[in-house]
DNA sequence: GATCCTCGAGTTCC
DNA sequence: CTCGAGGATC
């Protein structure tokens, strides 16, 4: 018995010592023992626990790596929602934010007329947002941000992060949810990739992806081997014995005393000038920081003031993320080639020396049109600056004139189509040059077919670019109607087509024989007739025959159809070839469904309203949401204006949300939209 | 005739 | 997302 007591005491002592060393190493960054000494302590503890398995507790440092793999992550509902932040990209937006904050606080008597608001500024780390829950001082659950309401349960993986305490130090509250960012340092990222390369495993493109990939491992033992770090920046549920806090920075200081690493280089600042100064100072050292950041965050420091400012949609009005411009890189413009679009539009595309920008390797970038190239004055052979516009689409910003080689060539628009050889023409007053080959041009034929089978048109699954390429090049498919004559037999003989995929495709084609009239009209690819105009035509005429029979005057009666569009539609249906294709489609059993004339003509909830969707909604996809809006008689538009009735903002809402706020357009979240539609759960 | 609002079209990477 | 351009509105 006596011996057992001494074992218990030794185990406790070892656990305390080890977690103390973890804290010194990962949080204070000031280790007091060597790695070997640390390992020796760990091994001793493991040996004792193995000899006395009944003494193992979940918060023992040995248990960080013990958990078994799981089949899938469970989901966790956040007790307090994890919000997103409003964004600013330039100083003016920060000034506007500060003005709003100060006006509101002065109105509430929290700020004197001549007093400047106090903020806490911190880095916006580029990693994954995580919420970690402690009950009675013990780590019980960790979840990703997910949509802000519900995230994935990553408890076993988070437990392996040595920088996070399994057990809190000091006086802890009953319940504490810590919010922070899981990141990988640049150095750790390089080391990990080297290791991955040696083992012949996949390397990660950037620290953020490496952190995300490591945390989303189903096997926590893999996560345990990855060098992840956690930095706290906020909190969710907090109850029990908690000090009486007045400021945001005060809470973070307190979190540090409980054993959490908090974001380094935080500063409490007063007034907007200091914020901008912090932003620019940080920008200068951005590249020398140990981890990647994509901006800085300003938060109104006084908690009472935060309460007064409140929230709009899902973003707090008391905080702002001030982002740095999309990362730019330079590379060499190897060549400018042209692509032929569905309408014959000739688009110059820059072929670039592969360059790593903003997390991906870019080799192509659109140059839009001739004027654009001239405006930017880029020439083949130039060293150019490339950035990812809106963080997605690569864009050539411009040349670096000093590095222009003597033999740099200007781009010359070809006079004939590179695909079919037809003349390329550019109308006097237009920006776009076009191939005049029409459907004689294989490129245009392929693109038209791709358009027709697209999701918003006939929605035929399993018919991609490669397949269309084969079918058109072999001459087997010349028009949309030909697609419907394909058989399982001949399809399975094509490259990369098994009997299974062939059968699936034929089934998909079969399903596509009864599109709605608007889908069919859109699929035809009439110039100037997109999704919206197709719908307007369908609703106005009710049948394909009626649209075909309509003359220009009749077409002009359709809302949003003017002379240019009317002429384009009339011209399309006057073309014998197009009529033949429509006849052939009919023979293949392709017929638009009857247009449902709404029996209930009473006002629907959204009649006459225009709704703009932005960001990711928690439950609905963008398409689902717009279907619901349309069904309720509303219109969905892509840009916010004074005429917009509502902006429905989801997660990561960007410029549209900002614009809505500027124009004073009401902003709803998904629940608000559902309420409007009368679908309140 | 000018201005504002929308729609259409094209696009990258994995 | 961005640009260009058609349509509506004043």
């Amino acid at each position: 018995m006596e011996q057992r007591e001494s074992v218990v005491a030794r185990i406790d002592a070892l656990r305390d010592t080890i977690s103390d060393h973890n804290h010194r190493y990962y949080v204070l960054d000031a280790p007091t023992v060597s790695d070997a000494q640390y390992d020796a302590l760990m091994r001793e503890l493991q040996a004792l626990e193995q000899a006395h398995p009944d003494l193992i507790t979940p918060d023992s440092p040995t248990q960080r790596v013990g958990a078994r793999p799981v089949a899938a992550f469970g989901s966790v509902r956040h007790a307090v929602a994890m919000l997103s932040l409003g964004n600013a990209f330039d100083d003016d937006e920060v000034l506007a934010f500060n003005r709003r904050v100060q006006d509101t606080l002065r109105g509430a008597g929290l700020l004197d007329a001549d007093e400047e608001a106090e903020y806490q500024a911190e880095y916006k780390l580029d990693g994954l947002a995580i919420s970690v829950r402690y009950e009675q001082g013990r780590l019980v659950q960790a979840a990703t941000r997910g949509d802000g309401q519900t995230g994935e349960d990553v408890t076993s993986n988070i437990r392996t992060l040595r920088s996070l305490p399994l057990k809190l130090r000091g006086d802890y509250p009953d319940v504490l949810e810590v919010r922070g960012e899981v990141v990988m340092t640049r150095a750790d990222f390089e080391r990990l990739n080297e290791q991955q390369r040696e083992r012949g495993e996949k390397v990660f493109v950037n620290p953020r992806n490496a952190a995300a990939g490591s945390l989303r491992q189903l096997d926590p033992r893999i996560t345990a081997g990855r060098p992840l770090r956690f930095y706290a920046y906020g909190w969710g549920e907090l109850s029990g014995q908690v000090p009486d806090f007045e400021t945001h920075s005060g809470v973070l200081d307190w979190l540090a005393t409980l054993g959490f690493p908090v974001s380094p280089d935080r500063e409490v600042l007063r007034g907007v000038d200091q914020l901008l100064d912090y932003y620019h100072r940080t920008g200068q050292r951005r590249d020398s920081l140990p981890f990647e950041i994509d901006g800085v965050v300003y938060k109104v420091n006084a908690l009472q003031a935060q309460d007064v400012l409140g929230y709009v949609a899902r973003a707090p009005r008391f905080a702002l993320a001030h982002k740095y411009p999309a990362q730019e890189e330079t590379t060499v413009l190897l060549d400018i080639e042209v692509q032929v679009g569905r309408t014959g539009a000739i688009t110059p595309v820059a072929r670039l020396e592969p360059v790593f920008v903003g997390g991906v390797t870019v080799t192509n970038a659109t140059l839009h049109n001739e004027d654009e190239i001239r405006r930017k004055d880029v020439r083949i052979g130039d060293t150019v600056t490339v950035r990812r516009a809106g963080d997605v689409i690569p864009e050539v910003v411009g040349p670096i004139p000093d590095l222009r080689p003597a033999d740099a060539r200007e781009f010359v628009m070809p006079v004939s189509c590179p695909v079919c050889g037809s003349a390329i023409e550019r109308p006097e007053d237009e920006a776009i040059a076009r191939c005049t080959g029409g459907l004689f041009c294989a490129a245009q034929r392929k693109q038209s077919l791709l358009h027709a089978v697209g999701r918003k048109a006939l929605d035929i699954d399993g018919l991609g670019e490669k397949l269309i390429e084969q079918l058109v090049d072999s001459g087997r498919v010349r028009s949309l109607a030909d697609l419907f004559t394909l058989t399982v037999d001949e399809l399975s003989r094509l490259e990369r087509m098994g009997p299974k995929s062939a059968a699936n495709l034929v089934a998909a084609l079969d399903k596509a024989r009864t599109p709605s009239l608007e889908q069919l009209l859109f699929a035809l690819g009439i110039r100037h007739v997109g999704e919206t105009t197709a719908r307007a035509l369908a609703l106005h005429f009710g049948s394909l025959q009626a649209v075909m029979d309509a003359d220009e005057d009749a077409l002009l009666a359709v809302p949003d159809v003017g002379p240019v569009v009317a002429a384009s539609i009339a011209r399309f249906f006057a073309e014998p070839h197009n009529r033949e294709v429509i006849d052939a489609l009919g023979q293949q059993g392709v017929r638009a469904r009857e247009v449902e004339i709404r029996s209930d003509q009473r006002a629907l909830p959204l009649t006459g309203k225009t709704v703009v969707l932005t960001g990711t909604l928690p439950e609905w996809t963008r398409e689902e949401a717009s279907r619901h809006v349309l069904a309720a008689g509303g219109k969905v538009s892509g840009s916010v204006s004074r005429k917009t009735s509502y902006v429905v903002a989801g997660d990561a809402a960007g410029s549209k949300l900002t614009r809505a706020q500027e124009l004073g357009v009401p902003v709803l979240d998904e629940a608000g939209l559902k309420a409007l539609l009368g679908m309140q759960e």
Side-chain angles (χ1 to χ4, degrees):
Chain A
M1 265 305 118
E2 212 177 56
Q3 198 203 351
R4 184 178 166 87
E5 266 167 44
S6 72
V7 168
V8 171
R10 181 62 188 154
I11 285 182
D12 281 348
L14 281 168
R15 286 178 185 165
D16 283 351
T17 312
I18 290 171
S19 63
D20 201 48
H21 287 315
N22 276 341
H23 186 249
R24 283 175 200 278
Y25 186 92
Y26 288 103
V27 181
L28 306 178
D29 214 6
T32 51
V33 292
S34 70
D35 288 359
Q37 285 169 314
Y38 175 90
D39 288 344
L41 292 171
M42 198 69 172
R43 274 196 304 274
E44 184 185 350
L45 178 59
Q46 275 165 349
L48 284 174
E49 286 185 348
Q50 245 160 47
H52 305 271
D54 55 313
L55 296 179
I56 299 177
T57 60
D59 57 327
S60 169
T62 59
Q63 296 307 297
R64 288 187 185 271
V65 294
R68 303 268 127 203
V70 292
F73 295 110
S75 67
V76 173
R77 195 162 177 86
H78 299 298
V80 176
M82 290 181 81
L83 302 162
S84 51
L85 292 179
N87 288 325
F89 290 94
D90 59 39
D91 292 3
D92 283 347
E93 293 177 74
V94 179
L95 292 172
F97 164 74
N98 179 58
R99 215 173 302 125
R100 276 198 306 275
V101 165
Q102 297 199 152
D103 287 350
T104 308
L105 296 184
R106 284 182 186 134
L110 290 175
L111 197 68
D112 289 340
D114 55 349
E115 201 185 355
E116 305 231 66
E118 187 183 78
Y119 297 92
Q120 185 204 251
E122 65 194 36
Y123 296 151
K124 187 172 189 319
L125 299 172
D126 198 9
L128 278 94
I130 295 287
S131 180
V132 191
R133 186 177 172 91
Y134 290 81
E135 288 175 6
Q136 308 307 328
R138 280 162 209 271
L139 192 165
V140 293
Q141 191 166 61
T144 61
R145 202 173 91 86
D147 60 17
Q149 304 293 324
T150 309
E152 287 183 322
D153 184 342
V154 289
T155 313
S156 311
N157 290 343
I158 285 293
R159 293 179 70 88
T160 68
L161 268 67
R162 303 243 189 113
S163 53
L164 261 175
L166 295 174
K167 206 170 130 191
L168 299 181
R169 311 159 73 82
D171 286 329
Y172 49 75
D174 292 339
V175 176
L176 166 63
E177 274 181 22
V178 180
R179 266 71 198 272
E181 200 84 357
V182 169
V183 299
M184 194 176 286
T185 65
R186 296 182 213 265
D188 283 336
F189 163 74
E190 295 297 346
R191 224 169 295 143
L192 173 65
N193 262 356
E194 207 172 306
Q195 218 179 72
Q196 295 284 101
R197 250 190 304 272
E198 275 167 22
R199 294 183 191 161
E201 283 174 38
K202 116 174 212 233
V203 295
F204 295 97
V205 290
N206 57 36
R208 209 202 85 85
N209 281 12
S214 301
L215 198 62
R216 299 196 72 265
Q217 290 290 331
L218 292 170
D219 184 349
R221 284 169 299 193
I222 297 180
T223 311
R226 300 282 172 80
L228 297 173
R229 289 167 196 253
F230 176 90
Y231 291 98
Y233 57 66
W235 62 95
E237 192 179 344
L238 182 54
S239 64
Q241 217 192 323
V242 178
D244 206 7
F245 294 114
E246 290 186 353
T247 61
H248 189 91
S249 54
V251 180
L252 290 194
D253 291 342
W254 172 69
L255 288 175
T257 69
L258 291 175
F260 293 103
V262 293
S263 180
D265 303 319
R266 290 178 295 136
E267 288 186 29
V268 174
L269 304 169
R270 201 167 268 284
V272 72
D273 291 344
Q274 292 192 7
L275 296 186
L276 296 177
D277 177 57
Y278 179 86
Y279 174 80
H280 292 117
R281 269 188 290 131
T282 305
Q284 278 163 15
R285 24 196 307 239
R286 184 181 178 196
D287 285 338
S288 56
L289 291 173
F291 31 64
E292 295 196 338
I293 63 172
D294 52 358
V296 297
V297 177
Y298 313 129
K299 290 174 183 158
V300 171
N301 203 21
L303 298 181
Q304 197 195 350
Q306 292 190 356
D307 283 344
V308 168
L309 287 157
Y311 300 84
V312 58
R314 335 181 81 236
R317 263 196 285 247
F318 56 79
L320 184 75
H322 192 180
K323 300 275 194 83
Y324 291 106
Q327 297 234 5
E328 296 186 343
E329 291 295 339
T330 60
T331 188
V332 178
L333 177 58
L334 300 173
D335 199 3
I336 298 177
E337 290 173 14
V338 298
Q339 278 177 5
V340 186
R342 147 173 90 85
T343 61
I346 303 288
T347 312
V349 180
R351 303 287 174 216
L352 305 165
E353 181 79 35
V355 61
F356 194 69
V357 197
V360 298
T361 305
V362 170
T363 50
N364 302 315
T366 177
L367 288 166
H368 296 113
N369 58 54
E370 238 179 321
D371 294 348
E372 181 92 359
I373 297 176
R374 211 111 304 148
R375 203 175 319 140
K376 288 180 175 165
D377 187 30
V378 287
R379 306 193 190 164
I380 299 162
D382 267 343
T383 297
V384 293
T385 308
V386 175
R387 88 174 154 211
R388 296 227 294 153
D391 257 1
V392 194
I393 298 186
E395 177 188 23
V396 173
V397 181
I400 299 173
D402 291 349
L403 296 179
R404 171 167 293 165
D407 61 349
R409 282 182 294 131
E410 274 195 63
F411 169 75
V412 184
M413 180 61 77
V415 291
S416 61
C417 173
V419 176
C420 71
S422 304
I424 289 177
E425 282 175 3
R426 179 176 165 192
E428 190 92 1
D429 49 354
E430 285 184 21
I432 311 267
R434 297 194 135 86
C435 160
T436 54
L439 289 180
F440 168 74
C441 177
Q444 292 189 50
R445 217 158 44 228
K446 287 173 194 167
Q447 294 298 322
S448 315
L449 286 169
L450 275 172
H451 166 81
V453 305
R455 190 198 283 269
K456 289 172 178 172
L458 297 182
D459 191 16
I460 300 171
D461 267 352
L463 202 49
E465 201 175 333
K466 286 279 170 289
L467 199 53
I468 296 224
E469 187 111 329
Q470 288 184 56
L471 292 169
V472 172
D473 287 346
S474 69
R476 172 64 181 80
V477 169
R478 304 187 52 82
S479 77
L480 184 53
D482 295 338
L483 280 180
F484 289 90
T485 64
L486 292 168
T487 63
V488 176
D489 253 15
E490 61 177 326
L491 278 170
S492 19
R493 282 195 295 273
L494 294 172
E495 274 169 59
R496 303 186 55 86
M497 269 306 255
K500 180 85 181 161
S501 323
N504 285 344
L505 176 53
V506 171
L509 282 165
D510 210 38
K511 223 172 72 195
R513 280 181 224 266
T514 48
S516 65
L517 179 55
E518 59 194 75
Q519 280 178 311
L520 183 60
L521 281 168
F522 179 65
L524 291 175
I526 305 164
R527 268 252 257 157
H528 299 121
V529 176
E531 230 185 323
T532 311
T533 310
R535 182 174 308 117
L537 289 169
L539 285 174
H540 188 267
F541 289 105
S543 75
L544 184 58
Q545 196 55 52
V547 183
M548 291 171 73
D549 292 343
D551 60 15
E552 284 189 40
D553 281 341
L555 289 163
L556 282 169
V558 180
D560 293 334
V561 172
V564 176
V565 179
S568 166
I569 298 168
R571 206 179 325 122
F572 181 91
F573 288 116
E575 174 70 41
H577 170 77
N578 291 328
R579 287 189 169 260
E580 280 163 29
V581 171
I582 290 167
D583 280 349
L585 279 170
Q587 275 161 32
Q588 292 302 319
V590 181
R591 239 168 239 112
R593 293 197 299 267
E594 299 276 306
V595 175
E596 298 163 34
I597 303 295
R598 220 172 273 127
S599 54
D600 185 67
Q601 283 292 352
R602 274 169 302 163
L604 290 156
L606 289 180
T607 299
K609 305 287 187 194
T610 305
V611 178
V612 173
L613 304 165
T614 177
T616 316
L617 302 176
E619 282 177 38
W620 283 342
T621 63
R622 220 43 102 91
E623 258 169 79
E624 282 169 329
S626 53
R627 258 211 334 270
H628 281 107
V629 171
L630 292 173
K635 274 180 69 171
V636 176
S637 166
S639 56
V640 182
S641 71
R642 262 180 294 269
K643 293 192 177 172
T644 309
S645 320
Y646 306 100
V647 168
V648 179
D651 200 42
S655 58
K656 291 184 211 168
L657 178 55
T658 320
R659 185 149 165 76
Q661 287 162 355
E662 283 166 13
L663 296 175
V665 172
V667 175
L668 306 172
D669 57 10
E670 186 181 289
L673 174 63
K674 285 178 179 168
L676 219 54
L677 296 167
M679 334 183 24
Q680 197 64 12
E681 50 228 80

